[in-house]
Every structure is written in structure tokens, then in C-alpha cells.
Amino acid sequence: MTVTQPDHPFLTAGAVATDPCIHCGFCLPSCASYRVLGSEMDSPRGRIHMLKAIDRGELSLDATVASHFDSCLGCLACVSACPSGVRYDELIAATRPRLNAPELRTPWQRSFRALLFQLLPYPARLRALLQPLRLYAGTPLQAWARRSGLTRLLGPQLEAMERLLPALQPEAFQPSAPVLIPAQGQRRHRVGLVTGCVQRLFDPAVNRAAIELLSANGIEVVIAPEQNCCGAMTHHQGELEQTRALAKDLLSSFEAVIGPGRAAGPEPLDAVLVAASGCGHTLKQLDAILAEEPEWAVRGSAFAGQVADIQEFLHRVGLSPGFMDRLQPLRHNDGSPASADRPLRLVYHDACHMLHGQGLGQQPRQLLRQIPHVRIVEAVEAGVCCGSAGIYNLVQPDEAAELGRIKAADLSGSGADLAVSANIGCTLQIRQHMDGTTRPIPVAHPVELLLRSASGA
Ligand code: SF4
Ligand code: SF4
């Protein structure tokens, strides 16, 4: 994938002019922004029209035009839907840096985005902010503040942040896991684990489950203790300089613990795993992201070649025979174990950057089918974005909330007992909107379910 720099021509040479879009509109039904805004300008076809007009000098990129690109979630569903092979992902990636020109956003928009970019990718900063909020998040006070409408006084963007705030678990504030977690039994593989900037604080049980699951399957886990964000959040917003800095930091953090005399020992890793699907898509492009600096590009390429989603990796190498023997039926909400007569129905939510960005859809489902008496049911609009999309649900809260309601209703309406999501952003978004459905169901990460099944919980 080509990552165009802000000081380069608007798009990769001739990319729009030679783009094979035939304006058929096949992409429109899968487009999340078109779904909620209903305007051609907020569809992939409309945006490609605008790009061509800009390229020909017939349209200038002003604040109004920019807002139609900002309304795009970057979910890449249109890439999967397009019969002509239009690389909208490359077009929007090349466009994003231009949208960050100061004159295209209001002072409030610029300040809010700057706050997000200085806070969310840095777990130490986020943890410091969240520490006092432990007295509020998940308590009756939070419920009352929401119910009374007090949180509306924060304004739409800050209110959206508050709405995503889950009950904060004590382990999010405890020291991180050891650098090296040995495999149980005979070692089959040795992997690194990217712990995710938001995931480790907002849903730390996922990383704990991922570590236990890997270890129980004979996989040694290496965790770089100093790792920050992988850069996915800023990459999706065209903040390329910060993305490169974050990517280099992440690479360096793993390089600092692997090698002779280092904490994790000298042996190389078989893979670097990600338990938050959105991050994997960016990490697999580290060679392109760092392409301008030859030395870093080589290191980025080696790292990117090792990156795999944890579900992708476990599907590839298979669960160990010993672990498979331990798998037992999960329990229904009433406590009774799932059975052939009454299976536990799971609906798998495809994170966009997993399904459309990495082409991974069947592997997670096949992995879940290893659990006895599980039946996978499908949502009607499985490939449509939930509205989370990185920081989209914070900067475009109205559109995101509408998409969140649609997604939660779709998952709940599938008749499933449990929804499964492997991306922290999606999980928080779906949980938030599930309460508004007529039949709320819990949301869990696949690694939690596999581990629960093996432990008989
Ligand atoms: S992007 Fe593809 S699907 Fe959409 S209008 Fe163009 S050719 Fe058709
Ligand atoms: S990336 Fe998603 S929101 Fe953006 S144009 Fe494509 S389908 Fe629509």
C-alpha cells in the first residue's frame, strides 16, 4: 500500500485519474456513512467523484468538501464490495493528511483532536487521567449523571467520550505482565504480544486471557513492557509523523527485550500477535509507513512480516491436543451447559480492519467452532461498520451513535446468546448500544471464550 506524505502531490501520481471506478454504485449498500447520511457526497462513489474533480482543478478542498471525507469511517467495506477493484483504501489514506490542514477544521475540532492524539496512544497518560475517574466509572454516580442528562452539558464530543467509559478494573492499574510468560508443557512457538493502548486499560481481561490461552497451548509469550500505541489510531487519521514515531517506538520496545542478555532471551519470535483487530491492519503495513527511512523500513518490514491477529495465528497453528481435550461446553445465562439439543448461539462481529482490511472472516469462526456445542449465527449486516472506527465515534458522535444502534440491534436480533468481538473499539461501542436494544446480550472476546471453555467456567 502506498502511503502518500502530506507534502507530496495530492494523490499518488494519477491514482484518481486512472482509477477504475465505473460509478456502478455496488459499494453504496455496504457504506456505513452513506447508510446514515444518505447523501451521494458521503458515499465512496461520491467521494471518488470529488477526488477526480479536485484532481482536475474543478473543485477546491474547502471545509465543506473536507467534511464529506471526514464522514468516511475508513471501514473499507467498499473495497470488499467493489467489482472493479477500486482501491478506495489507498485513495482515502492519501487524502487524510490533507484534511488535517488547519483551515479545514474549527479551533474546537483541532483542539479536541489534538487532545485525543496526545492522550489515547500513551497508556501512562491515559492511566493518569483515568485514576481519579475510578471513583466515577461504573458507579451509581455515573448512571445517575447519564440518566439525569448532566453529561449532556459536556457537549457532544466529550459526552461521547463519557459514554464509552466502562467500569475500570483494578488490574488496569497494576504493573504490567512479566516480559516472558513460559509455555505450559512442551513449547511449540514463541510469540510477541502487542497489548494495545486502549485495550490494556479499558478491558484488561482480554490481554490476560490471551496470555493464558497462548501459554496453555504451548506458546511462549514475550511482552515488551514499554510499548505504547502501535500507531493505528493516528494512521487512520492521516497523522503520519506521529504514526511513524509511534511505530518506531513499538519496534524499539520489542527489540529492547529480545537478544543476547536481554530480558526475553536471544531467540527470535515466530510471530507478533495482536488481540485488537484494528491494530493488526496497521502493523502489517509498517514497511510502507516507514518507507521513507531506509533503515527503519527494513526493520519495519521484518516486523510487519511477523504480525498476525491472535485468531489468525491460532487458526494457522491449531490449538494443542492437550488444550483441545480440556474444552467443555460453555454455559447459558441460566447456568445450564450448552448441549447438542440446546447449543450456545454466538454471533461473531467482524471488525472492519479484520474482515475488509486483512481478509480474515472464516478463521475466527472456525476457531470458535472448536468449543463444544457452539452454533455460529450470522447478523444480517455482518460486514457493515459498527461506528467505532478508531476515534470516529468521538469526533462524529451522531453518525457513530446511529451506526452503533443499528449494529447492536442487528447482533441482538440474530437470536444469539452472546456476541463475540475481537476489537476493543467495536466492543466498547457495541456494549454501549446493546443496552438500548430490546434483547441485550453480552459481548466477549474470542480468547476469553476459548479460555472459559477450557477452564469449565
Ligand atoms: S467504487 Fe467500485 S463499487 Fe463503488 S461505484 Fe466505483 S466501481 Fe462501483
Ligand atoms: S471506507 Fe467505509 S465509510 Fe468510507 S466510503 Fe468506504 S464503505 Fe463508506
Side-chain angles (χ1 to χ4, degrees):
M1 179 180 190
T2 307
V3 178
T4 304
Q5 311 305 319
D7 53 350
H8 281 194
F10 186 25
L11 291 164
T12 47
V16 177
T18 60
D19 191 273
C21 178
I22 54 171
H23 310 297
C24 64
F26 281 8
C27 52
L28 268 58
S30 61
C31 175
S33 59
Y34 183 70
R35 173 83 193 268
V36 291
L37 294 166
S39 111
E40 176 74 14
M41 304 274 271
D42 295 297
S43 77
R45 184 173 62 184
R47 295 188 184 104
I48 291 169
H49 262 306
M50 288 191 287
L51 287 175
K52 287 182 174 175
I54 292 169
D55 227 23
R56 291 193 299 263
E58 296 165 5
L59 182 70
S60 52
L61 182 60
D62 60 17
T64 304
V65 171
S67 71
H68 293 295
F69 290 106
D70 271 341
S71 68
C72 170
L73 294 101
C75 68
L76 315 183
C78 50
V79 180
S80 297
C82 178
S84 295
V86 172
R87 293 307 305 262
Y88 179 87
D89 53 342
E90 295 185 2
L91 298 178
I92 193 69
T95 306
R96 292 271 193 222
R98 283 289 295 268
L99 304 178
N100 294 329
E103 66 274 17
L104 298 181
R105 298 213 168 96
T106 65
W108 163 248
Q109 287 172 326
R110 290 201 300 276
S111 306
F112 185 61
R113 294 170 80 90
L115 170 76
L116 297 179
F117 295 141
Q118 287 309 312
L119 183 64
L120 297 181
Y122 306 99
R125 296 178 196 173
L126 189 54
R127 189 178 283 117
L129 177 84
L130 292 175
Q131 189 67 262
L133 289 175
R134 295 171 73 179
L135 299 171
Y136 170 79
T139 67
L141 177 63
Q142 185 182 38
W144 173 81
R146 289 176 177 180
R147 219 177 25 250
S148 67
L150 203 62
T151 53
R152 269 185 233 127
L153 300 176
L154 295 168
Q157 276 89 10
L158 290 175
E159 185 191 12
M161 275 182 100
E162 194 281 337
R163 289 254 155 211
L164 284 177
L165 186 64
L168 297 166
Q169 304 303 321
E171 70 179 294
F173 300 89
Q174 288 161 1
S176 56
V179 173
L180 188 70
I181 299 101
Q184 291 171 24
Q186 190 178 6
R187 193 180 87 177
R188 300 163 65 209
H189 298 282
R190 172 172 150 99
V191 301
L193 183 67
V194 175
T195 50
C197 50
V198 171
Q199 177 158 285
R200 77 184 79 165
L201 292 171
F202 282 13
D203 203 353
V206 169
N207 284 339
R208 179 166 32 87
I211 292 166
E212 285 181 35
L213 177 65
L214 291 166
S215 177
N217 277 278
I219 301 168
E220 184 172 272
V221 184
V222 173
I223 297 182
E226 302 300 328
Q227 56 179 297
N228 281 321
C229 171
C230 64
M233 184 187 306
T234 50
H235 186 225
H236 296 161
Q237 294 298 319
E239 297 285 351
L240 301 182
E241 201 175 314
Q242 190 178 2
T243 301
R244 284 191 287 270
L246 288 166
K248 289 182 200 172
D249 273 359
L250 187 75
L251 283 182
S252 302
S253 69
F254 274 96
E255 290 170 355
V257 295
I258 298 166
R262 296 192 182 147
E267 295 169 74
L269 302 174
D270 300 329
V272 177
L273 305 187
V274 180
S277 312
C279 308
H281 180 248
T282 295
L283 286 170
K284 286 180 177 178
Q285 301 174 55
L286 277 198
D287 48 347
I289 289 169
L290 298 172
E292 287 196 342
E293 298 170 70
E295 190 220 332
W296 279 104
V298 172
R299 289 155 74 177
S301 178
F303 192 88
Q306 290 190 302
V307 172
D309 190 277
I310 189 168
Q311 302 159 94
E312 177 187 15
F313 182 79
L314 286 173
H315 179 265
R316 190 194 304 155
V317 303
L319 299 172
S320 71
F323 185 83
M324 292 279 284
D325 286 344
R326 288 167 50 193
L327 292 174
Q328 301 172 45
L330 293 167
R331 291 181 183 276
H332 288 279
N333 285 339
D334 62 11
S336 60
S339 62
D341 292 340
R342 192 174 169 232
L344 192 78
R345 291 160 302 177
L346 305 181
V347 59
Y348 187 82
H349 164 68
D350 294 286
C352 296
H353 284 87
M354 179 97 168
L355 179 66
H356 306 301
Q358 300 176 66
L360 300 170
Q362 285 312 307
Q363 295 89 331
R365 289 169 169 80
Q366 286 168 8
L367 203 55
L368 287 168
R369 285 195 187 99
Q370 306 291 325
I371 301 173
H373 304 314
V374 148
R375 181 183 296 164
I376 309 288
V377 297
E378 294 296 335
V380 176
E381 297 184 284
V384 177
C385 184
C386 67
S388 170
I391 61 166
Y392 189 90
N393 51 0
L394 303 178
V395 294
Q396 305 269 139
D398 294 341
E399 295 85 350
E402 180 63 16
L403 287 164
R405 284 190 285 272
I406 293 170
K407 178 58 71 179
D410 194 18
L411 294 171
S412 158
S414 69
D417 305 297
L418 191 77
V420 187
S421 163
N423 191 43
I424 180 66
C426 310
T427 302
L428 294 174
Q429 170 84 345
I430 294 166
R431 281 184 183 150
Q432 180 196 345
H433 292 284
M434 197 53 88
D435 286 344
T437 66
T438 52
R439 186 179 160 275
I441 54 174
V443 186
H445 195 288
V447 297
E448 294 178 296
L449 296 184
L450 284 162
L451 198 65
R452 225 179 273 172
S453 167
S455 63

